[in-house]
Amino acid sequence: MTQTDDSSTSESVDKGELAALVIRTGSAHLVAQLLAAASPQWNVQVPSLKLQQPSSCLKHNASAIVDLTCNRPPSKEDLATFHVTHIRHIGKQPVWHSPPIEAIPSSGASTVIITGSGDAFHDVEPALDLIQRVKAKYIIHHMTRPLATGRLWDIIRNGPLVSSGPPDPDHLAVIIDADDLRAEGIALSRSLSWEATAEDFIRNLGSNGRLDTLVTCPNLIVRFGNEGIIHHRGRDAVDPRLYFPPREMEKPNNEMIGLGSAFTAGFSLAFPDCDTAIRLGMAATQRLSRQGFSTDPDDQCPNYPVNAIMDQISPEQGLSAVNVPSTRISAGDNFFIFDTLTGDPSEVARQIVTHGPDRALARCPVRKFGKLLSVDRFEQESLGSIVDTMHERLESGNVTPTCIGVHGPIGSGKKYVAASLSETVSERWPVGRLAYNARVMRLEDLTNVCNTIRDNAAENFLTVVSLENFEALLEPDNVLLDEFTAVMRYGTFRDGGHERSLGRCLLLFLVNQKAPRLESTPTPTKAEFQLGRAVDHSALLDNLHGVVNLSGPNQTGPQDKLFAVRRALMLRQLLKERHPHLDVNGKMKIDDAVLHALLFVPSFKHGLRSLEKIISTSRLSGRAKFDISALPPEEQIQLHCEGRTFMAFLRSPKLPPVLRERLAEGLFETYKKQRELMADTDEKKKALLSDRAMVDWDELSGELKESTRAQADDIPRKLRTVNCFMLNEERSDPLIHIPEFSSEDLDVLSEMEHERFNAERLQRQWRMGPRNSKQRTTPFLVPWRDLTQEWKDVDRVMVECVPRVLATAGYRIYRMKESD
C-alpha cells in the first residue's frame, strides 16, 4: 500500500508555568503510521514517506499551531494525556511527499491513498508518475479545499489506471468533510436532525456546477463532523446511505486534530467493502477523539496514540444506517428515519413502556433535552434550534432577555419541556429558577421578578423564569402586557419611577392553545369568532426569539401516527417515577389490555394531566403488576377521557375487521387439517363427520367463528412475547424477517395459546366434560402440564402456522435487530 501528501503540525504544550514546542507530522504520514500499527491484524504493508527534515523554523514546516493542555494522570506510572484548547492555521500549504518506489513490493501496491487538495500539488508530475507506475487497484482520496480541482483530480476521477483495460470508477473513493462542502456554497444544515441533513444533501449537492465531478463520483464519502457519514454513489441509480449515531448530532470537530486522517486509515483497511470501511473509519475516529494526544514514551512529548487507535480495531456497530430516498425527497416529500427503521408505531410504543426507550428506540435518532426524550423529527428540529438560539445569545454576552415561547394544548407537557430547557441551559451556566402563574400576576409581582433577576445577574447567575398561562396577559386592556413587552424588547423595567436594566436571563412563556379536534367542527357563530379574535398573540410572537409547538399525548389528526409513541414516553416516565416497583430488571409489569387502553384511546380530556390522574388514582401500591383490577372505576375514568371508549379499548383489542376475518379463516383451515391428520383410525374419521367444528367456514356456528376470530386477535400479543411484530410491507436492516418461529419460541407460544383457549372457554361458561359444543363441555380445560402430548401438538401447530397465515394476508413477521 502506498500513499501521498503530508502536512506537518506544531503543538504548543502548556506545562504549568512553562510551555514546550513539539513538531509533529500530520495528514498522510499519520495515515501511514496508523496503517503500519494495524499491520499485524490486517496484514498491510505501508512504504515509508520521504519527509523533509524538521527545521527549527516554524514557517518552513508547520501548517497549524495547536495549543494543548496537559491532563495529569492519577498515578505516576500512567502517562499524561493532552486535549486541544485552540487551533490556529498559519496558511502554510501542505507539501507533496512521495514514497520511495523501491519500497513498493514487486507485485505493486494494492491501494494509493492521497490526502490534500489540488492546490497542494504544485509539482504534480511526481504524483502522476507514481500513480502511472504503480497502477494500484484502488485509490482513496481524502480531499480538502478547494474541492475537485487540479490536474491530479482530472487524472484519477475516472478511477485507477490499471495495466490493461479502462479505469474502473468503482475502485475510487473520495472522502470529504461537510464543512468543506459548506465552504463551497453547498447549503447543509447542522444539528437540526439527521433527516434535515440528508434532505439538504440531496437537494443542494448539485447546486454548485463546478463540483459536478464530485456529484458523479462513484464513491463519495461525506463526513459530518465526528458523528455522521453519507455514502453517495453518483454513477449508480441507488439511494445514498446515511450512517449516524442514534443519540448524537453533528458537532464541531474543534476538540482534536487528525480525525480525517484517522477515518481515512480505518476506511482503507476494508475498501471497497464500503459499509465495513465506513464503520472501521468511524471506529478509528472515535478512538482518537476520546483518547486525545498521549505522551510519547520516546521523547515524553505529546503524540498521536497510534497504537491505541488501531489495536484490535473492529467496525463500529453502534451506528445506525438507512437509505436516503432521494427520489421522494427531490419530489418534495419529507424523510422520516423513524418510519424507515421501525415497524408499526403502536408496537414501538408498547415496547417503550414495557422495555424502555433505550431498547425500543436503539436504532432510531433520539435527542435528549434535559430529561426530555424527543422522537418526532419536527419536534427535534424545533427544540434543537431553540437550544442553539439560547446558547448563542447567552454566549454572546447579550444583556437583553432571551425569550422563548412554549405553545401547546392544556396537558401537552409545557412545564416539563420548560424544565428540560432549563436543565439543558444549566449544563453550561449556574442557574436560578423561578416559576409564576400569569393569571394571578400583578404589577408588583413583575417588579419583584425583575429585581430577583437583576440580583442573580449581579452574582453571575442566569435566571430562568417560567411563566405559565401567559395567554391570560394577551387579552385586551391588560396593563401588564405593555410592561412585559418593554422587558422583552429592551431588557429594562420600571421600579419606583426609575428605569432599571434587567440583566441576562431566559424567559419561557407557556401559552395554552386549543387542542385540535379529530372530528369536523361546526362553523363558529359571530360571537364565538369575535371572542376567538380577542386574544392577540402578535404582541408576544413579535418579541420571541423562538417558539416550541407541542402536540402532547393526544392524537392531533388522522395522519398523526406518533401520538402513541409520545404518550408511551410520558407513561413510562410516570410509572418509573411514581411506581418504581413495577420496573423489574428493566421490564415494566403492566397488563397488555391496560397498556392498550392507556396508549390508544384517542384523547385525554386534559392531556398529560388526565393521564397523570388515572395513574395516581390507580391502586398500585404493593402490587406486582398493573392489571385491570388496579384501574379506577369507569365513572372516575370518565372524568379524564371518554369512559366507554376507554373500556372498549380495555376489553378486547381487535384487528381490523377484514384482516381479522382473513386470518381467522386461515387458522380454521389449519386446525381442520391437523384434526384430519390426527384421525388415524376409521372410528376417529367417522367421528369427524359429526363434529360441528369440522364444517366449512361459512357453515361454522357463530360462536365457533368468534372463537377463531379471538384467536386471530391474539396474534399480536403472542408476537410481542417473542419480541416480534407484524407489518404489511417488506423491510430490511435493522428489521429482521422471521419466516418461522424457533423451537424455543414455539414452546412459549403454544403454552400461551392453550392458556388463551382456557380463558376464552371459561368466560363463555364452558365446563369440563366430553367434547360437545352444544353442551359447552370440553375435556381440555386443564393446565398445560396436564394436557396430553397429542393436544399439545395441536396448540403447537396453531402457532407454528401463524407466519404462513399472515403471509396470505400480505403481512410478514419482523424482529428488531438487537443493539450491540
Side-chain angles (χ1 to χ4, degrees):
M1 182 174 289
T2 184
Q3 53 188 315
T4 63
D5 195 18
D6 183 76
S7 61
S8 55
T9 304
S10 168
E11 299 171 3
S12 174
V13 188
D14 181 17
K15 293 185 177 180
E17 297 295 328
L18 302 176
L21 188 64
V22 184
I23 304 293
R24 296 297 186 199
T25 56
S27 193
H29 192 256
L30 175 57
V31 175
Q33 290 178 305
L34 291 166
L35 290 174
S39 179
Q41 179 186 355
W42 293 88
N43 193 27
V44 295
Q45 298 179 20
V46 187
S48 301
L49 298 174
K50 287 183 178 179
L51 300 179
Q52 292 180 343
Q53 294 299 316
S55 166
S56 59
C57 182
L58 277 179
K59 70 179 182 179
H60 294 307
N61 295 278
S63 58
I65 297 176
V66 183
D67 295 330
L68 305 179
T69 299
C70 180
N71 303 313
R72 299 295 178 188
S75 172
K76 291 184 178 180
E77 288 76 18
D78 296 329
L79 296 175
T81 59
F82 304 83
H83 68 265
V84 175
T85 57
H86 190 60
I87 301 174
R88 286 163 285 180
H89 297 279
I90 58 178
K92 176 68 175 176
Q93 286 289 348
V95 180
W96 157 259
H97 296 289
S98 173
I101 298 297
E102 61 272 14
I104 299 175
S106 58
S107 59
S110 65
T111 305
V112 170
I113 301 174
I114 306 171
T115 69
S117 68
D119 287 356
F121 301 96
H122 294 295
D123 186 11
V124 76
E125 296 303 327
L128 298 178
D129 180 60
L130 174 69
I131 292 172
Q132 291 171 350
R133 291 181 61 182
V134 170
K135 290 184 170 57
K137 188 175 182 180
Y138 305 108
I139 293 180
I140 298 172
H141 187 188
H142 179 198
M143 184 184 293
T144 56
R145 291 192 68 209
L147 303 178
T149 61
R151 287 182 58 200
L152 181 63
W153 172 241
D154 288 338
I155 294 295
I156 69 172
R157 62 186 174 88
N158 291 317
L161 301 174
V162 294
S163 56
S164 61
D168 189 341
D170 288 334
H171 289 182
L172 169 68
V174 177
I175 302 168
I176 60 176
D177 292 340
D179 281 341
D180 286 340
L181 280 178
R182 293 179 179 116
E184 296 278 3
I186 307 300
L188 299 175
S189 59
R190 186 199 300 273
S191 298
L192 285 179
S193 67
W194 286 117
E195 291 96 334
T197 297
E199 287 179 356
D200 290 344
F201 181 84
I202 294 298
R203 291 167 180 160
N204 300 324
L205 180 61
S207 61
N208 185 337
R210 190 182 65 76
L211 302 181
D212 56 347
T213 54
L214 275 186
V215 179
T216 58
C217 178
N219 292 290
L220 178 62
I221 312 297
V222 183
R223 297 180 59 243
F224 289 86
N226 193 26
E227 289 73 37
I229 296 288
I230 287 182
H231 177 204
H232 177 67
R233 302 190 62 183
R235 288 176 179 256
D236 300 325
V238 296
D239 289 331
R241 192 156 177 82
L242 170 67
Y243 296 80
F244 64 94
R247 300 298 183 268
E248 296 182 57
M249 285 298 303
E250 179 188 3
K251 298 188 290 287
N253 277 329
N254 55 7
E255 75 280 4
M256 189 58 194
I257 62 172
L259 297 173
S261 297
F263 179 86
T264 302
F267 180 88
S268 64
L269 292 173
F271 183 72
D273 178 356
C274 284
D275 181 81
T276 304
I278 287 170
R279 294 180 184 276
L280 282 168
M282 291 297 286
T285 304
Q286 291 173 7
R287 285 187 178 187
L288 175 57
S289 180
R290 287 193 300 266
Q291 178 86 9
F293 288 99
S294 61
T295 302
D296 191 319
D298 294 333
D299 58 13
Q300 298 300 307
C301 291
N303 204 348
Y304 294 100
V306 173
N307 292 326
I309 294 171
M310 305 307 287
D311 181 42
Q312 298 300 311
I313 190 169
S314 60
E316 175 55 56
Q317 298 300 326
L319 296 174
S320 288
V322 60
N323 291 334
V324 182
S326 54
T327 302
R328 284 172 37 207
I329 291 173
S330 299
D333 292 346
N334 289 123
F335 174 38
F336 297 96
I337 293 177
F338 181 91
D339 293 344
T340 305
L341 292 184
T342 64
D344 186 350
S346 63
E347 296 300 331
V348 177
R350 289 187 176 94
Q351 292 183 34
I352 288 172
V353 178
T354 55
H355 294 94
D358 289 341
R359 177 173 172 179
L361 302 172
R363 297 282 178 172
C364 300
V366 177
R367 296 193 66 179
K368 188 174 183 180
F369 303 91
K371 293 181 179 179
L372 173 67
L373 292 179
S374 178
V375 178
D376 182 82
R377 170 200 167 169
F378 296 126
E379 184 179 79
Q380 288 182 13
E381 293 174 5
S382 175
L383 288 168
S385 63
I386 290 297
V387 169
D388 290 343
T389 298
M390 293 190 306
H391 287 161
E392 178 68 26
R393 285 183 55 81
L394 294 173
E395 289 176 351
S396 68
N398 200 309
V399 295
T400 57
T402 299
C403 303
I404 305 297
V406 183
H407 296 184
I410 292 175
S412 56
K414 293 184 290 297
K415 286 197 291 185
Y416 188 75
V417 170
S420 298
L421 291 175
S422 175
E423 186 177 345
T424 302
V425 171
S426 68
E427 295 172 0
R428 299 193 188 183
W429 291 275
V431 166
R433 296 180 175 89
L434 299 174
Y436 292 90
N437 188 340
R439 289 191 184 278
V440 296
M441 201 172 195
R442 298 167 299 178
L443 184 58
E444 53 267 32
D445 296 324
L446 175 58
T447 303
N448 292 335
V449 172
C450 292
N451 278 315
T452 302
I453 294 172
R454 181 182 170 90
D455 293 342
N456 285 345
E459 297 179 13
N460 204 30
F461 272 84
L462 173 69
T463 307
V464 180
V465 185
S466 295
L467 295 152
E468 302 175 36
N469 301 312
F470 196 79
E471 72 281 355
L473 300 189
L474 303 179
E475 297 170 354
D477 303 323
N478 192 304
V479 295
L480 275 179
L481 185 57
D482 290 339
E483 300 295 333
F484 260 107
T485 302
V487 169
M488 297 164 65
R489 187 172 298 173
Y490 307 112
T492 61
F493 67 99
R494 290 185 298 173
D495 182 14
H498 299 281
E499 187 173 78
R500 302 188 185 279
S501 178
L502 184 64
R504 191 174 59 172
C505 64
L506 174 62
L507 303 181
L508 302 174
F509 299 90
L510 281 54
V511 180
N512 293 317
Q513 295 178 323
K514 287 186 177 180
R517 297 174 64 92
L518 294 179
E519 65 274 13
S520 59
T521 55
T523 303
T525 63
K526 180 178 179 181
E528 290 173 335
F529 182 74
Q530 290 176 342
L531 182 63
R533 295 183 59 188
V535 178
D536 184 8
H537 290 77
S538 62
L540 173 63
L541 295 175
D542 290 346
N543 295 286
L544 293 178
H545 298 104
V547 175
V548 181
N549 291 304
L550 303 179
S551 299
N554 288 339
Q555 189 174 14
T556 59
Q559 302 305 315
D560 182 12
K561 306 299 183 184
L562 284 181
F563 82 97
V565 175
R566 296 194 302 269
R567 191 181 295 177
L569 290 168
M570 296 176 181
L571 178 58
R572 170 85 182 185
Q573 187 70 18
L574 284 173
L575 292 174
K576 284 199 70 172
E577 289 179 353
R578 301 191 179 197
H579 303 285
H581 65 281
L582 295 177
D583 186 3
V584 180
N585 297 324
K587 185 173 182 179
M588 192 66 64
K589 297 298 183 179
I590 182 170
D591 184 80
D592 196 66
V594 174
L595 181 59
H596 184 82
L598 290 173
L599 287 180
F600 301 112
V601 63
S603 65
F604 292 106
K605 293 180 180 178
H606 303 290
L608 179 58
R609 298 180 190 176
S610 294
L611 182 59
E612 289 176 329
K613 291 294 184 184
I614 292 176
I615 300 300
S616 65
T617 55
S618 295
R619 299 175 293 278
L620 295 172
S621 298
R623 287 179 179 259
K625 188 175 184 180
F626 190 172
D627 56 21
I628 295 177
S629 64
L631 285 168
E634 183 177 345
E635 50 270 22
Q636 290 276 359
I637 292 176
Q638 180 69 34
L639 299 173
H640 310 297
C641 66
E642 177 57 46
R644 289 185 179 179
T645 303
F646 185 91
M647 300 309 290
F649 275 88
L650 186 67
R651 276 189 287 269
S652 55
K654 290 184 174 59
L655 295 171
V658 175
L659 175 62
R660 187 178 188 235
E661 198 74 5
R662 181 80 174 267
L663 298 183
E665 287 190 47
L667 292 171
F668 179 66
E669 291 302 321
T670 301
Y671 173 77
K672 284 175 59 179
K673 289 179 181 178
Q674 181 62 20
R675 289 288 309 281
E676 290 169 355
L677 290 174
M678 293 167 62
D680 53 1
T681 66
D682 291 339
E683 184 180 355
K684 290 181 179 179
K685 291 178 182 178
K686 184 177 180 180
L688 287 182
L689 297 176
S690 59
D691 193 328
R692 296 177 65 235
M694 295 299 293
V695 297
D696 292 336
W697 174 259
D698 292 337
E699 300 172 3
L700 195 64
S701 68
E703 182 178 14
L704 293 180
K705 276 186 176 181
E706 196 59 33
S707 174
T708 313
R709 291 172 184 138
Q711 186 179 359
D713 286 330
D714 198 53
I715 289 176
R717 183 181 72 94
K718 290 191 178 76
L719 294 179
R720 287 194 291 274
T721 302
V722 291
N723 297 319
C724 294
F725 57 89
M726 49 191 275
L727 200 61
N728 61 344
E729 57 182 279
E730 291 191 18
R731 302 292 281 274
S732 57
D733 185 76
L735 300 185
I736 304 171
H737 176 222
I738 307 297
E740 59 184 24
F741 296 121
S742 67
S743 178
E744 294 79 8
D745 289 343
L746 288 174
D747 290 341
V748 173
L749 297 177
S750 54
E751 185 171 353
M752 285 183 64
E753 170 54 26
H754 182 65
E755 291 173 353
R756 184 208 64 80
F757 169 87
N758 282 351
E760 181 216 324
R761 288 294 194 265
L762 290 171
Q763 285 178 334
R764 295 178 183 273
Q765 308 304 312
W766 283 59
R767 306 183 309 279
M768 281 288 293
R771 295 187 70 240
N772 190 319
S773 56
K774 283 186 177 181
Q775 300 296 324
R776 293 176 178 264
T777 58
T778 175
F780 307 126
L781 288 177
V782 295
W784 172 259
R785 61 183 178 274
D786 296 339
L787 199 63
T788 64
Q789 187 60 47
E790 181 183 41
W791 287 96
K792 282 184 177 180
D793 291 341
V794 172
D795 286 326
R796 193 178 185 89
V797 166
M798 294 310 298
V799 293
E800 188 178 30
C801 74
V802 167
R804 299 192 302 273
V805 172
L806 285 173
T808 63
Y811 280 78
R812 310 178 91 189
I813 298 175
Y814 290 94
R815 177 180 288 141
M816 182 70 73
K817 182 188 295 184
E818 290 291 336
S819 180
D820 295 320

